Amino acid sequence: MVFKRLLGAIGVDGPSVDTVLDHGAVPPGGVLSGQVHLRGGGSAVDVEHIALELVARVEAEHDEGESEGFVVFERFVVGGAFRLGEEALFSVPFQVTLPWETPVSELYGQQLGIVLGVRTELAVSGARDKGDLDPLAVRPLPVQEAVLEALGQLGFGFRSADLEYGRIGGTDQRLPFYQEIELTPAPQYAHAVGEIEVTFLAGPDRTEVILEADRRGGLFSEGHDALARFTVGHRDVPGRDWNTEVDGWIRQLVEHRAAHGSGAGYGHSAAYGHGDPYAHGDPYPGGYQDPYGSGHGYDEHGRHDRRHDEHHRSGPGLGTAVAAGAAGLAVGVVGGLVAAEVVDEIGDFFEGDDDEGGDDED
């Protein structure tokens, strides 16, 4: 067990903390469990509370280009109101439920290149210190896995995944950011689109699947983005022909037609069509602070508004382009096609946090 000495507001001789998450990735909406282990410092202290924060590294577009920063997207108080004696050992078990829109960080055990973490906050005698940070592994829900696997079977390849600060208008999005999974086009669609982006907005009963295509221009027309949204009930996942279902979605997207079906697999589908699908709105009414400061392309409320008519294109993200062919995205990832630097960068991030945050103790 490795304790991390808190060196900030609590003081050099304060308590140490080591948060241990139970093994295994957790799906969105699932229960994250573990224990917070404390060791007292040079004197007894009153622990007011122990809190866990879910943290994500996100990208934001603004007038000067792009920035990266960290957003706390959920917070849980898991213990407190006790006295921790000098050099005393104390453990607090916890079980917390992840938000349904928590991004997917891995597919079949392979990292997709986004950074999620759990940060421990300890409040002692009126002082708060945020120390321990642990990587958070999130696996896809069955519907997310089914859609991604179908895309791979159809010939789409994984390019990168990132988290974009802002909201998607016309949805029930709750978090202040959304995940984009960028795919290279399948051969049968390569003439029509340059890239497909997939976003999942999950909820307790259903998941919205938002597809965006970078449509190629023709001889007498310019290229533009096309978007479509589909809703899938969690109970509708088993037993469906997902390859056919998803291929139909892609065809609607590429042809840019509005679809108003009401099949059992998804409650409704609607192509965004023309206009701006990204209206202004508070991405998270509970109140999240802009990690990038002011004056960088946000509105008067500090929100970042993603605009369809700006032809938004995300950068290459953390990974290099990878190909996943007929064997499916999942098999492609398992086959080692996700670039090694993706895993290395994420590992370096958490190792660097340990180095900066305090001293390690056995």
Side-chain angles (χ1 to χ4, degrees):
M1 185 180 302
V2 178
F3 285 91
K4 184 175 179 181
R5 179 75 70 182
L6 300 176
L7 301 180
I10 294 178
V12 175
D13 200 27
S16 304
V17 62
D18 178 36
T19 299
V20 179
L21 305 179
D22 289 345
H23 293 293
V26 181
V31 175
L32 176 69
S33 59
Q35 295 195 50
V36 179
H37 302 291
L38 300 174
R39 185 165 73 183
S43 60
V45 294
D46 293 319
V47 177
E48 297 175 359
H49 70 251
I50 303 169
L52 302 178
E53 295 180 339
L54 304 185
V55 181
R57 185 169 68 181
V58 304
E59 299 177 359
E61 294 186 348
H62 46 77
D63 293 342
E64 287 75 28
E66 286 190 352
S67 298
E68 287 190 345
F70 289 89
V71 171
V72 175
F73 62 95
E74 188 57 281
R75 187 174 186 273
F76 310 95
V77 176
V78 297
F82 63 88
R83 189 168 182 80
L84 182 65
E86 179 182 350
E87 300 296 335
L89 300 177
F90 189 80
S91 295
V92 178
F94 64 84
Q95 287 188 329
V96 297
T97 302
L98 297 184
W100 282 98
E101 292 179 14
T102 301
V104 175
S105 66
E106 64 175 52
L107 186 60
Y108 291 144
Q110 298 298 308
Q111 295 176 349
L112 297 182
I114 67 170
V115 175
L116 300 176
V118 179
R119 189 184 299 277
T120 306
E121 176 187 278
L122 187 65
V124 173
S125 302
R128 298 184 180 185
D129 213 328
K130 297 179 181 181
D132 203 23
L133 181 65
D134 298 276
L136 173 62
V138 180
R139 69 175 187 269
L141 292 163
V143 60
Q144 295 169 326
E145 185 176 305
V147 171
L148 292 174
E149 179 64 19
L151 286 166
Q153 294 285 348
L154 292 170
F156 292 87
F158 175 83
R159 173 171 289 166
S160 65
D162 56 27
L163 305 180
E164 296 283 342
Y165 186 76
R167 67 166 287 118
I168 300 177
T171 70
D172 294 328
Q173 180 182 339
R174 299 298 180 184
L175 295 186
F177 58 85
Y178 54 91
Q179 181 175 22
E180 285 184 340
I181 300 174
E182 300 177 4
L183 308 175
T184 57
Q188 64 271 30
Y189 294 113
H191 68 286
V193 298
E195 181 180 75
I196 294 286
E197 295 178 349
V198 184
T199 294
F200 297 105
L201 296 179
D205 302 315
R206 60 186 184 177
T207 293
E208 287 185 272
V209 184
I210 300 165
L211 303 177
E212 179 179 358
D214 177 18
R215 293 188 60 187
R216 300 187 188 278
L219 182 61
F220 301 105
S221 63
E222 295 183 357
H224 64 278
D225 292 351
L227 298 100
R229 183 179 69 201
F230 306 88
T231 301
V232 184
H234 294 315
R235 295 183 179 180
D236 299 327
V237 175
R240 299 195 64 83
D241 182 354
W242 281 105
N243 285 11
T244 300
E245 191 99 10
V246 173
D247 190 50
W249 296 355
I250 299 297
R251 290 183 184 276
Q252 291 180 24
L253 179 67
V254 171
E255 295 169 7
H256 210 201
R257 296 180 307 181
H260 301 284
S262 58
Y266 49 94
H268 70 275
S269 62
Y272 282 100
H274 302 287
D276 180 6
Y278 299 104
H280 286 284
D282 189 347
Y284 202 58
Y288 283 91
Q289 295 183 351
D290 172 11
Y292 307 99
S294 59
H296 296 288
Y298 295 88
D299 66 12
E300 67 274 18
H301 300 292
R303 296 185 296 257
H304 177 63
D305 185 27
R306 177 184 165 184
R307 291 282 184 174
H308 174 41
D309 57 4
E310 289 175 354
H311 298 289
H312 159 76
R313 290 268 64 82
S314 298
L318 301 178
T320 58
V322 297
L329 285 176
V331 177
V333 173
V334 170
L337 296 177
V338 173
E341 53 263 34
V342 171
V343 179
D344 291 343
E345 181 173 340
I346 294 174
D348 292 343
F349 165 75
F350 285 103
E351 291 174 4
D353 176 81
D354 287 343
D355 293 340
E356 295 175 3
D359 298 333
D360 292 339
E361 303 176 359
D362 295 333

